[in-house]
PDB file of all heavy atoms in Angstrom:
ATOM      1  N   ALA A  28       4.202  -7.361 188.530  1.00 37.00           N
ATOM      2  CA  ALA A  28       4.332  -7.881 189.901  1.00 37.00           C
ATOM      3  C   ALA A  28       4.047  -6.756 190.871  1.00 37.00           C
ATOM      4  O   ALA A  28       4.403  -5.616 190.631  1.00 37.00           O
ATOM      5  CB  ALA A  28       5.739  -8.425 190.124  1.00 37.00           C
ATOM      6  N   ALA A  30       4.769  -5.732 194.723  1.00 35.00           N
ATOM      7  CA  ALA A  30       5.563  -6.109 195.892  1.00 35.00           C
ATOM      8  C   ALA A  30       5.755  -4.884 196.758  1.00 35.00           C
ATOM      9  O   ALA A  30       6.154  -3.825 196.270  1.00 35.00           O
ATOM     10  CB  ALA A  30       6.914  -6.675 195.473  1.00 35.00           C
ATOM     11  N   ALA A  35       6.190  -3.345 190.110  1.00 34.00           N
ATOM     12  CA  ALA A  35       7.474  -3.688 189.495  1.00 34.00           C
ATOM     13  C   ALA A  35       7.204  -4.402 188.202  1.00 34.00           C
ATOM     14  O   ALA A  35       6.435  -5.330 188.152  1.00 34.00           O
ATOM     15  CB  ALA A  35       8.281  -4.592 190.433  1.00 34.00           C
ATOM     16  N   LEU A  37       8.837  -6.582 185.097  1.00 31.00           N
ATOM     17  CA  LEU A  37      10.025  -7.367 184.815  1.00 31.00           C
ATOM     18  C   LEU A  37       9.896  -8.013 183.456  1.00 31.00           C
ATOM     19  O   LEU A  37       8.835  -8.463 183.073  1.00 31.00           O
ATOM     20  CB  LEU A  37      10.178  -8.482 185.870  1.00 31.00           C
ATOM     21  CG  LEU A  37      10.218  -8.024 187.350  1.00 31.00           C
ATOM     22  CD1 LEU A  37      10.196  -9.230 188.257  1.00 31.00           C
ATOM     23  CD2 LEU A  37      11.461  -7.193 187.602  1.00 31.00           C
ATOM     24  N   VAL A  39      11.407 -11.247 181.450  1.00 29.00           N
ATOM     25  CA  VAL A  39      12.131 -12.456 181.756  1.00 29.00           C
ATOM     26  C   VAL A  39      12.385 -13.232 180.489  1.00 29.00           C
ATOM     27  O   VAL A  39      11.518 -13.345 179.631  1.00 29.00           O
ATOM     28  CB  VAL A  39      11.300 -13.326 182.736  1.00 29.00           C
ATOM     29  CG1 VAL A  39      12.099 -14.542 183.157  1.00 29.00           C
ATOM     30  CG2 VAL A  39      10.938 -12.502 183.954  1.00 29.00           C
ATOM     31  N   VAL A  45      16.539 -20.696 185.591  1.00 31.00           N
ATOM     32  CA  VAL A  45      16.221 -19.457 186.299  1.00 31.00           C
ATOM     33  C   VAL A  45      17.472 -18.699 186.693  1.00 31.00           C
ATOM     34  O   VAL A  45      17.520 -17.478 186.624  1.00 31.00           O
ATOM     35  CB  VAL A  45      15.374 -19.800 187.552  1.00 31.00           C
ATOM     36  CG1 VAL A  45      15.145 -18.550 188.387  1.00 31.00           C
ATOM     37  CG2 VAL A  45      14.045 -20.406 187.127  1.00 31.00           C
ATOM     38  N   ALA A  46      18.489 -19.407 187.096  1.00 30.00           N
ATOM     39  CA  ALA A  46      19.706 -18.741 187.565  1.00 30.00           C
ATOM     40  C   ALA A  46      20.398 -17.971 186.459  1.00 30.00           C
ATOM     41  O   ALA A  46      21.080 -16.995 186.710  1.00 30.00           O
ATOM     42  CB  ALA A  46      20.661 -19.788 188.136  1.00 30.00           C
ATOM     43  N   ALA A  48      18.748 -16.755 183.599  1.00 29.00           N
ATOM     44  CA  ALA A  48      17.871 -15.893 182.820  1.00 29.00           C
ATOM     45  C   ALA A  48      18.181 -14.431 183.124  1.00 29.00           C
ATOM     46  O   ALA A  48      18.330 -14.037 184.272  1.00 29.00           O
ATOM     47  CB  ALA A  48      16.410 -16.189 183.149  1.00 29.00           C
ATOM     48  N   LEU A 110       7.865 -24.367 204.074  1.00 98.00           N
ATOM     49  CA  LEU A 110       8.012 -23.499 202.900  1.00 98.00           C
ATOM     50  C   LEU A 110       6.654 -22.905 202.538  1.00 98.00           C
ATOM     51  O   LEU A 110       5.645 -23.614 202.490  1.00 98.00           O
ATOM     52  CB  LEU A 110       8.570 -24.299 201.720  1.00 98.00           C
ATOM     53  CG  LEU A 110       8.823 -23.570 200.401  1.00 98.00           C
ATOM     54  CD1 LEU A 110       9.874 -22.480 200.581  1.00 98.00           C
ATOM     55  CD2 LEU A 110       9.264 -24.563 199.331  1.00 98.00           C
ATOM     56  N   TRP A 111       6.644 -21.604 202.300  1.00 98.00           N
ATOM     57  CA  TRP A 111       5.451 -20.891 201.864  1.00 98.00           C
ATOM     58  C   TRP A 111       5.764 -20.193 200.540  1.00 98.00           C
ATOM     59  O   TRP A 111       6.855 -19.642 200.356  1.00 98.00           O
ATOM     60  CB  TRP A 111       5.043 -19.818 202.864  1.00 98.00           C
ATOM     61  CG  TRP A 111       4.628 -20.287 204.222  1.00 98.00           C
ATOM     62  CD1 TRP A 111       3.350 -20.437 204.688  1.00 98.00           C
ATOM     63  CD2 TRP A 111       5.486 -20.585 205.334  1.00 98.00           C
ATOM     64  NE1 TRP A 111       3.361 -20.841 205.998  1.00 98.00           N
ATOM     65  CE2 TRP A 111       4.659 -20.943 206.426  1.00 98.00           C
ATOM     66  CE3 TRP A 111       6.882 -20.610 205.500  1.00 98.00           C
ATOM     67  CZ2 TRP A 111       5.166 -21.303 207.659  1.00 98.00           C
ATOM     68  CZ3 TRP A 111       7.391 -20.974 206.730  1.00 98.00           C
ATOM     69  CH2 TRP A 111       6.546 -21.319 207.801  1.00 98.00           C
ATOM     70  N   PHE A 112       4.810 -20.196 199.613  1.00 98.00           N
ATOM     71  CA  PHE A 112       4.972 -19.418 198.390  1.00 98.00           C
ATOM     72  C   PHE A 112       3.612 -19.259 197.715  1.00 98.00           C
ATOM     73  O   PHE A 112       2.652 -19.988 198.000  1.00 98.00           O
ATOM     74  CB  PHE A 112       5.972 -20.058 197.416  1.00 98.00           C
ATOM     75  CG  PHE A 112       5.680 -21.489 197.066  1.00 98.00           C
ATOM     76  CD1 PHE A 112       4.751 -21.826 196.085  1.00 98.00           C
ATOM     77  CD2 PHE A 112       6.355 -22.522 197.715  1.00 98.00           C
ATOM     78  CE1 PHE A 112       4.497 -23.139 195.755  1.00 98.00           C
ATOM     79  CE2 PHE A 112       6.104 -23.843 197.408  1.00 98.00           C
ATOM     80  CZ  PHE A 112       5.173 -24.163 196.418  1.00 98.00           C
ATOM     81  N   ASP A 113       3.526 -18.284 196.810  1.00 98.00           N
ATOM     82  CA  ASP A 113       2.335 -18.057 195.999  1.00 98.00           C
ATOM     83  C   ASP A 113       2.634 -18.426 194.550  1.00 98.00           C
ATOM     84  O   ASP A 113       3.632 -17.959 193.986  1.00 98.00           O
ATOM     85  CB  ASP A 113       1.892 -16.593 196.039  1.00 98.00           C
ATOM     86  CG  ASP A 113       1.278 -16.197 197.364  1.00 98.00           C
ATOM     87  OD1 ASP A 113       0.985 -17.112 198.171  1.00 98.00           O
ATOM     88  OD2 ASP A 113       1.095 -14.987 197.604  1.00 98.00           O
ATOM     89  N   SER A 132       4.524 -17.528 187.687  1.00 98.00           N
ATOM     90  CA  SER A 132       5.448 -16.959 188.660  1.00 98.00           C
ATOM     91  C   SER A 132       5.322 -17.669 190.004  1.00 98.00           C
ATOM     92  O   SER A 132       4.289 -18.259 190.317  1.00 98.00           O
ATOM     93  CB  SER A 132       5.204 -15.458 188.846  1.00 98.00           C
ATOM     94  OG  SER A 132       3.944 -15.220 189.450  1.00 98.00           O
ATOM     95  N   ILE A 133       6.414 -17.604 190.774  1.00 98.00           N
ATOM     96  CA  ILE A 133       6.439 -18.034 192.169  1.00 98.00           C
ATOM     97  C   ILE A 133       6.881 -16.839 192.986  1.00 98.00           C
ATOM     98  O   ILE A 133       7.981 -16.316 192.792  1.00 98.00           O
ATOM     99  CB  ILE A 133       7.388 -19.224 192.385  1.00 98.00           C
ATOM    100  CG1 ILE A 133       6.983 -20.404 191.497  1.00 98.00           C
ATOM    101  CG2 ILE A 133       7.399 -19.639 193.848  1.00 98.00           C
ATOM    102  CD1 ILE A 133       7.934 -21.589 191.593  1.00 98.00           C
ATOM    103  N   GLU A 134       6.052 -16.405 193.929  1.00 98.00           N
ATOM    104  CA  GLU A 134       6.300 -15.167 194.653  1.00 98.00           C
ATOM    105  C   GLU A 134       6.095 -15.346 196.155  1.00 98.00           C
ATOM    106  O   GLU A 134       5.545 -16.353 196.601  1.00 98.00           O
ATOM    107  CB  GLU A 134       5.374 -14.064 194.133  1.00 98.00           C
ATOM    108  CG  GLU A 134       5.474 -13.840 192.625  1.00 98.00           C
ATOM    109  CD  GLU A 134       4.425 -12.876 192.118  1.00 98.00           C
ATOM    110  OE1 GLU A 134       4.278 -11.796 192.733  1.00 98.00           O
ATOM    111  OE2 GLU A 134       3.748 -13.199 191.130  1.00 98.00           O
ATOM    112  N   ASN A 135       6.519 -14.340 196.903  1.00 98.00           N
ATOM    113  CA  ASN A 135       6.333 -14.312 198.355  1.00 98.00           C
ATOM    114  C   ASN A 135       6.858 -15.582 199.026  1.00 98.00           C
ATOM    115  O   ASN A 135       6.199 -16.172 199.888  1.00 98.00           O
ATOM    116  CB  ASN A 135       4.856 -14.116 198.711  1.00 98.00           C
ATOM    117  CG  ASN A 135       4.288 -12.839 198.142  1.00 98.00           C
ATOM    118  OD1 ASN A 135       4.976 -11.819 198.078  1.00 98.00           O
ATOM    119  ND2 ASN A 135       3.050 -12.894 197.694  1.00 98.00           N
ATOM    120  N   ILE A 136       8.054 -15.999 198.634  1.00 98.00           N
ATOM    121  CA  ILE A 136       8.628 -17.226 199.182  1.00 98.00           C
ATOM    122  C   ILE A 136       9.159 -16.966 200.591  1.00 98.00           C
ATOM    123  O   ILE A 136       9.903 -16.010 200.827  1.00 98.00           O
ATOM    124  CB  ILE A 136       9.777 -17.739 198.290  1.00 98.00           C
ATOM    125  CG1 ILE A 136       9.283 -17.948 196.855  1.00 98.00           C
ATOM    126  CG2 ILE A 136      10.337 -19.041 198.853  1.00 98.00           C
ATOM    127  CD1 ILE A 136      10.380 -18.305 195.882  1.00 98.00           C
ATOM    128  N   ARG A 137       8.781 -17.847 201.528  1.00 98.00           N
ATOM    129  CA  ARG A 137       9.278 -17.782 202.890  1.00 98.00           C
ATOM    130  C   ARG A 137       9.721 -19.176 203.327  1.00 98.00           C
ATOM    131  O   ARG A 137       9.095 -20.168 202.929  1.00 98.00           O
ATOM    132  CB  ARG A 137       8.217 -17.257 203.849  1.00 98.00           C
ATOM    133  CG  ARG A 137       7.833 -15.809 203.616  1.00 98.00           C
ATOM    134  CD  ARG A 137       6.867 -15.300 204.682  1.00 98.00           C
ATOM    135  NE  ARG A 137       5.586 -15.991 204.606  1.00 98.00           N
ATOM    136  CZ  ARG A 137       5.029 -16.644 205.624  1.00 98.00           C
ATOM    137  NH1 ARG A 137       5.668 -16.738 206.791  1.00 98.00           N
ATOM    138  NH2 ARG A 137       3.856 -17.218 205.485  1.00 98.00           N
ATOM    139  N   THR A 138      10.758 -19.250 204.114  1.00 98.00           N
ATOM    140  CA  THR A 138      11.274 -20.538 204.572  1.00 98.00           C
ATOM    141  C   THR A 138      11.473 -20.531 206.082  1.00 98.00           C
ATOM    142  O   THR A 138      11.706 -19.485 206.695  1.00 98.00           O
ATOM    143  CB  THR A 138      12.615 -20.872 203.900  1.00 98.00           C
ATOM    144  OG1 THR A 138      13.584 -19.893 204.288  1.00 98.00           O
ATOM    145  CG2 THR A 138      12.480 -20.897 202.389  1.00 98.00           C
ATOM    146  N   PRO A 146      18.031 -23.751 203.907  1.00 97.00           N
ATOM    147  CA  PRO A 146      17.044 -23.535 202.843  1.00 97.00           C
ATOM    148  C   PRO A 146      17.658 -23.091 201.521  1.00 97.00           C
ATOM    149  O   PRO A 146      17.006 -23.192 200.479  1.00 97.00           O
ATOM    150  CB  PRO A 146      16.139 -22.438 203.414  1.00 97.00           C
ATOM    151  CG  PRO A 146      16.335 -22.512 204.887  1.00 97.00           C
ATOM    152  CD  PRO A 146      17.770 -22.911 205.078  1.00 97.00           C
ATOM    153  N   ALA A 147      18.892 -22.612 201.552  1.00 97.00           N
ATOM    154  CA  ALA A 147      19.540 -22.203 200.300  1.00 97.00           C
ATOM    155  C   ALA A 147      19.731 -23.382 199.360  1.00 97.00           C
ATOM    156  O   ALA A 147      19.902 -23.196 198.149  1.00 97.00           O
ATOM    157  CB  ALA A 147      20.888 -21.552 200.607  1.00 97.00           C
ATOM    158  N   TRP A 149      17.398 -25.765 198.976  1.00 98.00           N
ATOM    159  CA  TRP A 149      16.090 -26.229 198.488  1.00 98.00           C
ATOM    160  C   TRP A 149      15.884 -25.721 197.066  1.00 98.00           C
ATOM    161  O   TRP A 149      16.268 -24.603 196.715  1.00 98.00           O
ATOM    162  CB  TRP A 149      14.974 -25.716 199.376  1.00 98.00           C
ATOM    163  CG  TRP A 149      15.053 -26.184 200.801  1.00 98.00           C
ATOM    164  CD1 TRP A 149      15.915 -27.095 201.320  1.00 98.00           C
ATOM    165  CD2 TRP A 149      14.246 -25.715 201.882  1.00 98.00           C
ATOM    166  NE1 TRP A 149      15.699 -27.253 202.668  1.00 98.00           N
ATOM    167  CE2 TRP A 149      14.666 -26.425 203.054  1.00 98.00           C
ATOM    168  CE3 TRP A 149      13.209 -24.805 202.012  1.00 98.00           C
ATOM    169  CZ2 TRP A 149      14.079 -26.223 204.295  1.00 98.00           C
ATOM    170  CZ3 TRP A 149      12.619 -24.602 203.250  1.00 98.00           C
ATOM    171  CH2 TRP A 149      13.055 -25.312 204.388  1.00 98.00           C
ATOM    172  N   ILE A 151      12.959 -25.336 193.824  1.00 98.00           N
ATOM    173  CA  ILE A 151      11.551 -25.346 193.411  1.00 98.00           C
ATOM    174  C   ILE A 151      11.492 -25.489 191.901  1.00 98.00           C
ATOM    175  O   ILE A 151      12.170 -24.759 191.172  1.00 98.00           O
ATOM    176  CB  ILE A 151      10.839 -24.049 193.843  1.00 98.00           C
ATOM    177  CG1 ILE A 151      11.017 -23.809 195.341  1.00 98.00           C
ATOM    178  CG2 ILE A 151       9.360 -24.118 193.488  1.00 98.00           C
ATOM    179  CD1 ILE A 151      10.448 -22.480 195.811  1.00 98.00           C
ATOM    180  N   ASN A 179      13.694 -24.593 186.996  1.00 98.00           N
ATOM    181  CA  ASN A 179      14.108 -25.184 188.264  1.00 98.00           C
ATOM    182  C   ASN A 179      15.187 -24.301 188.880  1.00 98.00           C
ATOM    183  O   ASN A 179      16.210 -24.037 188.249  1.00 98.00           O
ATOM    184  CB  ASN A 179      14.644 -26.603 188.030  1.00 98.00           C
ATOM    185  CG  ASN A 179      14.940 -27.334 189.324  1.00 98.00           C
ATOM    186  OD1 ASN A 179      14.438 -26.957 190.384  1.00 98.00           O
ATOM    187  ND2 ASN A 179      15.748 -28.367 189.251  1.00 98.00           N
ATOM    188  N   GLY A 180      14.926 -23.836 190.089  1.00 98.00           N
ATOM    189  CA  GLY A 180      15.909 -22.946 190.710  1.00 98.00           C
ATOM    190  C   GLY A 180      15.803 -22.950 192.219  1.00 98.00           C
ATOM    191  O   GLY A 180      14.847 -23.460 192.810  1.00 98.00           O
ATOM    192  N   THR A 181      16.798 -22.381 192.860  1.00 98.00           N
ATOM    193  CA  THR A 181      16.796 -22.239 194.306  1.00 98.00           C
ATOM    194  C   THR A 181      15.826 -21.134 194.709  1.00 98.00           C
ATOM    195  O   THR A 181      15.327 -20.373 193.870  1.00 98.00           O
ATOM    196  CB  THR A 181      18.202 -21.893 194.814  1.00 98.00           C
ATOM    197  OG1 THR A 181      18.572 -20.606 194.285  1.00 98.00           O
ATOM    198  CG2 THR A 181      19.215 -22.942 194.402  1.00 98.00           C
ATOM    199  N   VAL A 182      15.600 -21.031 196.003  1.00 98.00           N
ATOM    200  CA  VAL A 182      14.741 -19.966 196.512  1.00 98.00           C
ATOM    201  C   VAL A 182      15.284 -18.607 196.111  1.00 98.00           C
ATOM    202  O   VAL A 182      14.541 -17.712 195.677  1.00 98.00           O
ATOM    203  CB  VAL A 182      14.612 -20.082 198.044  1.00 98.00           C
ATOM    204  CG1 VAL A 182      13.901 -18.853 198.616  1.00 98.00           C
ATOM    205  CG2 VAL A 182      13.869 -21.357 198.434  1.00 98.00           C
ATOM    206  N   ALA A 183      16.584 -18.420 196.224  1.00 98.00           N
ATOM    207  CA  ALA A 183      17.193 -17.139 195.866  1.00 98.00           C
ATOM    208  C   ALA A 183      17.008 -16.830 194.389  1.00 98.00           C
ATOM    209  O   ALA A 183      16.762 -15.678 194.007  1.00 98.00           O
ATOM    210  CB  ALA A 183      18.683 -17.155 196.222  1.00 98.00           C
ATOM    211  N   GLU A 184      17.126 -17.850 193.544  1.00 98.00           N
ATOM    212  CA  GLU A 184      16.977 -17.639 192.099  1.00 98.00           C
ATOM    213  C   GLU A 184      15.538 -17.291 191.739  1.00 98.00           C
ATOM    214  O   GLU A 184      15.293 -16.409 190.896  1.00 98.00           O
ATOM    215  CB  GLU A 184      17.451 -18.886 191.360  1.00 98.00           C
ATOM    216  CG  GLU A 184      18.959 -19.071 191.433  1.00 98.00           C
ATOM    217  CD  GLU A 184      19.410 -20.447 190.985  1.00 98.00           C
ATOM    218  OE1 GLU A 184      18.569 -21.361 190.849  1.00 98.00           O
ATOM    219  OE2 GLU A 184      20.627 -20.609 190.781  1.00 98.00           O
ATOM    220  N   TRP A 185      14.565 -17.944 192.376  1.00 98.00           N
ATOM    221  CA  TRP A 185      13.163 -17.592 192.110  1.00 98.00           C
ATOM    222  C   TRP A 185      12.847 -16.199 192.634  1.00 98.00           C
ATOM    223  O   TRP A 185      12.089 -15.451 192.004  1.00 98.00           O
ATOM    224  CB  TRP A 185      12.235 -18.622 192.753  1.00 98.00           C
ATOM    225  CG  TRP A 185      12.041 -19.861 191.931  1.00 98.00           C
ATOM    226  CD1 TRP A 185      12.544 -21.102 192.181  1.00 98.00           C
ATOM    227  CD2 TRP A 185      11.300 -19.973 190.716  1.00 98.00           C
ATOM    228  NE1 TRP A 185      12.160 -21.980 191.192  1.00 98.00           N
ATOM    229  CE2 TRP A 185      11.391 -21.318 190.283  1.00 98.00           C
ATOM    230  CE3 TRP A 185      10.565 -19.078 189.934  1.00 98.00           C
ATOM    231  CZ2 TRP A 185      10.776 -21.774 189.121  1.00 98.00           C
ATOM    232  CZ3 TRP A 185       9.946 -19.538 188.770  1.00 98.00           C
ATOM    233  CH2 TRP A 185      10.054 -20.873 188.377  1.00 98.00           C
ATOM    234  N   ASN A 186      13.410 -15.833 193.776  1.00 98.00           N
ATOM    235  CA  ASN A 186      13.177 -14.475 194.290  1.00 98.00           C
ATOM    236  C   ASN A 186      13.725 -13.423 193.341  1.00 98.00           C
ATOM    237  O   ASN A 186      13.148 -12.347 193.165  1.00 98.00           O
ATOM    238  CB  ASN A 186      13.826 -14.314 195.666  1.00 98.00           C
ATOM    239  CG  ASN A 186      12.978 -14.898 196.780  1.00 98.00           C
ATOM    240  OD1 ASN A 186      11.757 -14.951 196.667  1.00 98.00           O
ATOM    241  ND2 ASN A 186      13.614 -15.343 197.855  1.00 98.00           N
ATOM    242  N   ALA A 187      14.858 -13.730 192.708  1.00 98.00           N
ATOM    243  CA  ALA A 187      15.472 -12.774 191.790  1.00 98.00           C
ATOM    244  C   ALA A 187      14.683 -12.657 190.492  1.00 98.00           C
ATOM    245  O   ALA A 187      14.547 -11.569 189.935  1.00 98.00           O
ATOM    246  CB  ALA A 187      16.917 -13.187 191.499  1.00 98.00           C
ATOM    247  N   LYS A 188      14.163 -13.787 189.992  1.00 98.00           N
ATOM    248  CA  LYS A 188      13.430 -13.778 188.725  1.00 98.00           C
ATOM    249  C   LYS A 188      12.225 -14.696 188.854  1.00 98.00           C
ATOM    250  O   LYS A 188      12.267 -15.868 188.488  1.00 98.00           O
ATOM    251  CB  LYS A 188      14.332 -14.213 187.586  1.00 98.00           C
ATOM    252  CG  LYS A 188      15.499 -13.256 187.357  1.00 98.00           C
ATOM    253  CD  LYS A 188      15.994 -13.343 185.931  1.00 98.00           C
ATOM    254  CE  LYS A 188      17.129 -12.349 185.697  1.00 98.00           C
ATOM    255  NZ  LYS A 188      16.621 -10.980 185.577  1.00 98.00           N
ATOM    256  N   PRO A 189      11.127 -14.163 189.377  1.00 97.00           N
ATOM    257  CA  PRO A 189       9.960 -15.011 189.657  1.00 97.00           C
ATOM    258  C   PRO A 189       9.091 -15.325 188.445  1.00 97.00           C
ATOM    259  O   PRO A 189       8.279 -16.241 188.499  1.00 97.00           O
ATOM    260  CB  PRO A 189       9.170 -14.187 190.670  1.00 97.00           C
ATOM    261  CG  PRO A 189       9.545 -12.775 190.385  1.00 97.00           C
ATOM    262  CD  PRO A 189      10.968 -12.808 189.915  1.00 97.00           C
ATOM    263  N   PHE A 190       9.261 -14.588 187.326  1.00 97.00           N
ATOM    264  CA  PHE A 190       8.341 -14.694 186.197  1.00 97.00           C
ATOM    265  C   PHE A 190       8.962 -15.412 185.003  1.00 97.00           C
ATOM    266  O   PHE A 190      10.141 -15.263 184.723  1.00 97.00           O
ATOM    267  CB  PHE A 190       7.902 -13.299 185.728  1.00 97.00           C
ATOM    268  CG  PHE A 190       7.117 -12.532 186.738  1.00 97.00           C
ATOM    269  CD1 PHE A 190       7.752 -11.700 187.625  1.00 97.00           C
ATOM    270  CD2 PHE A 190       5.739 -12.646 186.798  1.00 97.00           C
ATOM    271  CE1 PHE A 190       7.039 -10.978 188.567  1.00 97.00           C
ATOM    272  CE2 PHE A 190       5.015 -11.930 187.729  1.00 97.00           C
ATOM    273  CZ  PHE A 190       5.661 -11.094 188.614  1.00 97.00           C
TER     274      PHE A 190
END
Side-chain angles (χ1 to χ4, degrees):
L37 304 173
V39 185
V45 174
L110 181 62
W111 296 260
F112 54 82
D113 288 348
S132 67
I133 302 176
E134 305 173 48
N135 301 324
I136 304 174
R137 293 185 294 124
T138 63
W149 299 353
I151 306 175
N179 187 19
T181 64
V182 171
E184 289 167 347
W185 278 108
N186 279 332
K188 297 205 178 284
F190 296 91

